[in-house]
Amino acid sequence: MPDLTPAYDIHRSYEDNYKEGPFIKGEILPRTLIRKRKFLGFEVNSLLGIPAGPLLNSRWIRAYAALGFDLPVYKTVRTRAMPSHPNPNCMFLKVTGQIKEDDFGRPLVATDDSPSRVDEISITNSFGMPSRDPKIWQEDIEKARGVLGEGQILIVSVVGTPGERDLADDYAKGAAFAKEAGAHVIEINLSCPNVVTKEGSVFTDSLVSSAISKSVKLAIGETPLIIKIGYIADLQCLADMLAANAPHVNGVSGINTLPFAVIGQNGAPALPGEGRRIAGVCGAAIRQCAMAQAARVVALARKEKYDFSVIGVGGVMTTQHIQDYFNLGVDAVMSATGAMWDPWLAYKYWKETNLL
Ligand SMILES: Cc1cc2nc3c(=O)[nH]c(=O)nc-3n(C[C@H](O)[C@H](O)[C@H](O)COP(=O)(O)O)c2cc1C
């Protein structure tokens, strides 16, 4: 049986993982670079990356960049320090097959049992988007930039914090800090509670999301801007959101996790504490939704001649899934859960596609 020990130790706290991780066994072999590709105006080794989340700081960026993920995203930061939810933050889920829209609204059951294959792993994650103080993460981003190899770029994910100041201004301030620290590209995580309508997440609201992307773009100028979005079931709503944001952005990344109530075997909420009844679901079971949305975004971008790149995220567990996403016409592919349990994923892809 393959060793399914993740680089992020789900039995330990976020702080332990931040300070001691990643926990990767095995030798990281150097790659021979063959040819460069273009991504957001940069020459890069490959179009593979890790989306915001698993790469907690510059040590994690160093390890995954060395493993061949040439587009690493630094985990979402804020304009102020925020602690993580307590452990557990990640739990395995009992899901057979793919989640479908009909399943939305029904609870999912958490389990301690690890699947025996990477492509069967679905997890819930609930961190509350923790952040160090900007001073600390700015210094660390400078370090992260320094550990990248040739043909690699640092993308930094930023989220606004409701209540601090106008939400769009807070996103813009965080993005400007990240740019100042050395980010090649800024990503804004639009899976943030909509404080204007008090309903849902910002990414479902074209007015609020485009006001944010416009402010951020003004603050970062020429630096490319990616918006990270969640799943939008309604095609018109997705089309409206893209139309409103397209003038301000250079990339659209998705999907983020799917929100579900997560319960234990006894039916009680699996994650302890207030505000954690609903948690994000990621990994194998969200691939169908994620690929369906990636295909819709590609189609809309072609039809409307939008000038942004599309980044496919969600359920990428194997090299075949990477290829399946590229076949949809996306410009880059990223894996969070898959690459946590199989840090050699990019390396295997390179090998299989004869790039090594
Ligand atoms: C441990 C973990 C932490 C995450 N944290 C963030 C985050 O801080 N910001 C964000 O935009 N997405 C976050 N995500 C979501 C991922 O970027 C991604 O959208 C989602 O997990 C789906 O991809 P996957 O199926 O490859 O895991 C996180 C995911 C995981 C697994």
Side-chain angles (χ1 to χ4, degrees), residues 155-279:
I155 304 169
V156 176
S157 168
V158 174
V159 73
T161 306
E164 176 85 340
R165 54 180 68 79
D166 173 72
L167 185 61
D169 289 348
D170 195 55
Y171 266 97
K173 189 172 177 194
F177 283 169
K179 174 181 169 153
E180 185 183 82
H184 290 104
V185 174
I186 301 295
E187 177 174 289
I188 47 174
N189 180 4
L190 295 178
S191 294
C192 162
N194 190 339
V195 280
V196 179
T197 62
K198 310 257 186 280
E199 263 174 47
S201 286
V202 160
F203 69 85
T204 59
D205 186 322
S206 20
L207 275 180
V208 175
S209 61
S210 60
I212 293 171
S213 62
K214 187 176 178 190
S215 293
V216 171
K217 193 61 188 162
L218 268 174
I220 63 172
E222 290 303 298
T223 301
L225 172 63
I226 297 172
I227 50 171
K228 169 87 175 287
I229 60 173
Y231 185 74
I232 300 177
D234 185 277
L235 185 57
Q236 193 55 51
C237 178
L238 178 65
D240 292 347
M241 195 279 298
L242 292 178
N245 280 277
H248 317 299
V249 310
N250 310 93
V252 174
S253 176
I255 60 171
N256 214 314
T257 54
L258 291 176
F260 273 86
V262 177
I263 56 175
Q265 314 276 5
N266 58 0
L271 295 155
E274 213 182 302
R276 300 184 78 192
R277 199 180 67 81
I278 306 287

Side-chain angles (χ1 to χ4, degrees), residues 117-133:
R117 293 162 44 131
V118 174
D119 61 355
E120 290 171 352
I121 297 177
S122 298
I123 61 167
T124 176
N125 86 65
S126 160
F127 290 89
M129 273 192 276
S131 176
R132 282 340 202 220
D133 182 84

Side-chain angles (χ1 to χ4, degrees), residues 8 50-54 56 75-77 89-90 123 125 127 129-130 157 187-191 228-229 253-257 281-284 286-287 313-317 334-341:
Y8 182 102
I50 304 284
L56 312 189
K75 184 166 166 63
T76 307
V77 291
N89 300 103
C90 295
I123 61 167
N125 86 65
F127 290 89
M129 273 192 276
S157 168
E187 177 174 289
I188 47 174
N189 180 4
L190 295 178
S191 294
K228 169 87 175 287
I229 60 173
S253 176
I255 60 171
N256 214 314
T257 54
V281 172
C282 48
I286 72 166
R287 188 170 51 258
V313 180
V316 174
M317 316 303 285
M334 298 194 182
S335 169
T337 310
M340 284 163 75
W341 268 266

Side-chain angles (χ1 to χ4, degrees), residues 78 99 107 139 143-144 160 284:
R78 299 176 181 269
I99 290 174
E139 261 174 41
K143 253 193 227 164

Side-chain angles (χ1 to χ4, degrees), residues 235 238 242 254 287-302 310 312 324-325 327-330:
L235 185 57
L238 178 65
L242 292 178
R287 188 170 51 258
Q288 189 168 307
C289 285
M291 287 188 71
Q293 177 150 313
R296 286 178 208 137
V297 175
V298 168
L300 286 163
R302 283 183 185 155
V310 181
D324 293 344
Y325 264 97
N327 291 346
L328 293 179
V330 301

